[in-house]
Amino acid sequence: MLKNILKRHAKTVGAVTALAATLALAPAAQAQDRSDWPTSVKVGTASQGGTYFVYGAGWASLVQEMLGVPTSSEVTGGPVANMALIQSGELDMGMVTMGPAYDGWVGQSELAPGVPMHNVRATFPMYPTPFHSVTLESSGITDVAGLDGKRVNVGPRTGTAAAYWARFFETLGISADLQYGGAADAAGQLQDGLIDGFAFAAGIPIAAFSQVEAQNGANIFGFNDEQMIEILAAYPSVTEFTIPAGTYSSIDSDIKTVSMANFGVAHKDLSADFVYNVMKVVLDNNDRMLQIHATAVDTVAENWNQNGFMWFHPGAIRYYKEKGIDIPLNLLPPEYED
C-alpha cells in the first residue's frame, strides 16, 4: 500500500547506459566479485533548483562512472519522501536531512504515521542544511518577522523546509500563508509577484536564490538573535550556523541562522559490498565531489557523528572501520556481523 501511495513522489530524470563507464573500469575493479551487486540503482534527490538535485545527480553520476552500475537520480519531494520511498523499496539510496529522518525513524512521518522506517540505513555524511529566506529587494521585507501575513513558499510538502518552516513560524508567532512547490518554481513565482517570500533549507548557495538575486535584486536573510534563541531552545535537531559573507553576490556580511545535517542513506538490503564501494567513491574523491557542489567540503568521514540515531549500513561500517572509526554499538544494525 505504501508503495502505491509513494509512486507519485518519485520521477526518473535520467538513467543513462553505463557501458562506457564499465569499459573504463580498472582491471582490479572488473575482477572483484559483484555477484550481489544491484544491476541498477535509483537515488532520491529533491526538486530541481535546490542543492539536493545538483548534489544527488552529481554523486549518482560519479558512482556510475567509477563503479559501472547504471545509477539514476530521481526528483522527489525531498527528505520526508526519500525516507518513505527507501523504506518501501521504491528507491535504493537517497538523501535526507536528519530532522525529517528522525521523524520517519520513530514513526512520526506525515507520509506514513505510525510506521517506524527501520529499513533505512545511514551511509556517508553530506553537508549542513541552513534555513534562510529570500524576498525581492523591492518588497522591503528583510527579516523573518516581515513574512507575517505574507504568501511564503516553503518548498515541496515533503521536504525539510516545509516540515520545519511551519514549526519555526508557529514558534515565532508568525502567521504566513504557506505555499508549496519546487525551488525553481518558487523562484519564478517570487519574480512574478505570485508569492512574497521563499523560505527554504538547502546547501549553500541555493541556485534558486542566486537566480532571484541575479535577475531582480534580492534580500536574503536568516534569523535575528532573539529568534535564534527561541528556535534553538525549541528544536534540538538544529544547530547554530553562519552563512558567510559573499556566499551570495549581494551579501557582504555574515547571516545568522540554524541548520540540520544531511546524510546519504540506503535500503538495508542493498549489497554491503556495493555500499562499501559507494562510500569509497564519495569519501575518497572529495576533489571530484567539490566539482559537483561546494557543500561537499563537509562530505568527509570525520562527520559520521552528525548521525546519532539511525543504524549505519554494514557496508558503511566496513568503510569507517578501515578509516579507524569505531561506530557506537547503538548505531550498529541487527544484521551487522563483525
Side-chain angles (χ1 to χ4, degrees):
M1 178 178 176
L2 183 57
K3 284 187 177 183
N4 293 331
I5 294 174
L6 293 170
K7 280 183 179 178
R8 67 179 183 273
H9 290 287
K11 175 185 177 184
T12 304
V13 295
V16 300
T17 169
L19 177 59
T22 302
L23 293 175
L25 290 175
Q30 290 178 345
Q32 73 182 111
D33 180 11
R34 297 176 168 217
S35 59
D36 66 344
W37 282 30
T39 56
S40 63
V41 174
K42 294 180 181 179
V43 175
T45 62
S47 63
Q48 297 184 39
T51 305
Y52 262 31
F53 179 76
V54 177
Y55 184 107
W59 75 258
S61 178
L62 189 60
V63 166
Q64 176 167 289
E65 173 193 333
M66 300 188 73
L67 299 183
V69 176
T71 305
S72 62
S73 58
E74 311 272 327
V75 172
T76 73
V80 178
N82 289 343
M83 280 291 291
L85 290 162
I86 292 174
Q87 169 69 21
S88 67
E90 290 291 299
L91 292 176
D92 306 295
M93 303 190 76
M95 306 159 66
V96 298
T97 311
M98 298 312 275
Y102 180 78
D103 292 342
W105 187 257
V106 298
Q108 296 178 359
S109 170
E110 61 188 82
L111 288 182
V115 180
M117 297 183 179
H118 289 176
N119 287 344
V120 185
R121 298 287 181 268
T123 59
F124 57 88
M126 292 166 47
Y127 56 83
T129 284
F131 291 78
H132 51 310
S133 304
V134 61
T135 60
L136 294 183
E137 189 175 34
S138 59
S139 72
I141 301 172
T142 59
D143 181 81
V144 172
L147 297 175
D148 188 42
K150 304 298 184 181
R151 300 162 300 175
V152 183
N153 190 304
V154 290
R157 286 184 180 273
T158 52
T160 300
Y164 280 84
W165 270 109
R167 303 178 196 183
F168 294 166
F169 285 144
E170 182 177 1
T171 297
L172 298 175
I174 294 170
S175 178
D177 178 9
L178 300 186
Q179 311 287 315
Y180 304 93
D185 290 339
Q189 291 168 4
L190 185 62
Q191 292 170 296
D192 292 340
L194 300 177
I195 57 174
D196 304 295
F198 177 27
F200 203 46
I204 52 177
I206 299 174
F209 281 28
S210 297
Q211 172 189 328
V212 174
E213 178 186 52
Q215 297 179 358
N216 296 85
N219 299 317
I220 300 174
F221 49 88
F223 299 100
N224 62 33
D225 291 341
E226 292 182 2
Q227 293 164 347
M228 288 281 290
I229 291 171
E230 289 189 65
I231 290 175
L232 289 170
Y235 303 97
S237 59
V238 302
T239 56
E240 189 170 348
F241 189 88
T242 298
I243 299 174
T247 298
Y248 298 96
S249 61
S250 63
I251 304 302
D252 56 11
S253 59
D254 293 347
I255 298 173
K256 289 184 178 180
T257 188
V258 297
S259 72
M260 284 181 183
N262 292 273
F263 255 80
V265 291
H267 192 279
K268 69 179 184 65
D269 293 337
L270 195 59
S271 160
D273 188 62
F274 176 74
V275 171
Y276 165 76
N277 277 277
V278 169
M279 297 286 290
K280 288 175 66 67
V281 166
V282 174
L283 297 180
D284 289 354
N285 295 279
N286 192 250
D287 57 333
R288 295 291 303 277
M289 291 297 295
L290 283 169
Q291 293 174 18
I292 294 167
H293 201 281
T295 56
V297 68
D298 292 302
T299 304
V300 293
E302 291 76 13
N303 286 336
W304 69 269
N305 58 6
Q306 297 301 300
N307 167 38
F309 63 88
M310 187 185 298
W311 294 326
F312 278 96
H313 196 285
I317 296 170
R318 174 185 167 191
Y319 176 86
Y320 288 123
K321 288 191 70 172
E322 288 187 358
K323 296 297 182 181
I325 297 171
D326 291 324
I327 300 300
L329 291 176
N330 66 306
L331 299 181
L332 301 180
E335 70 271 18
Y336 177 66
E337 296 180 1
D338 196 349

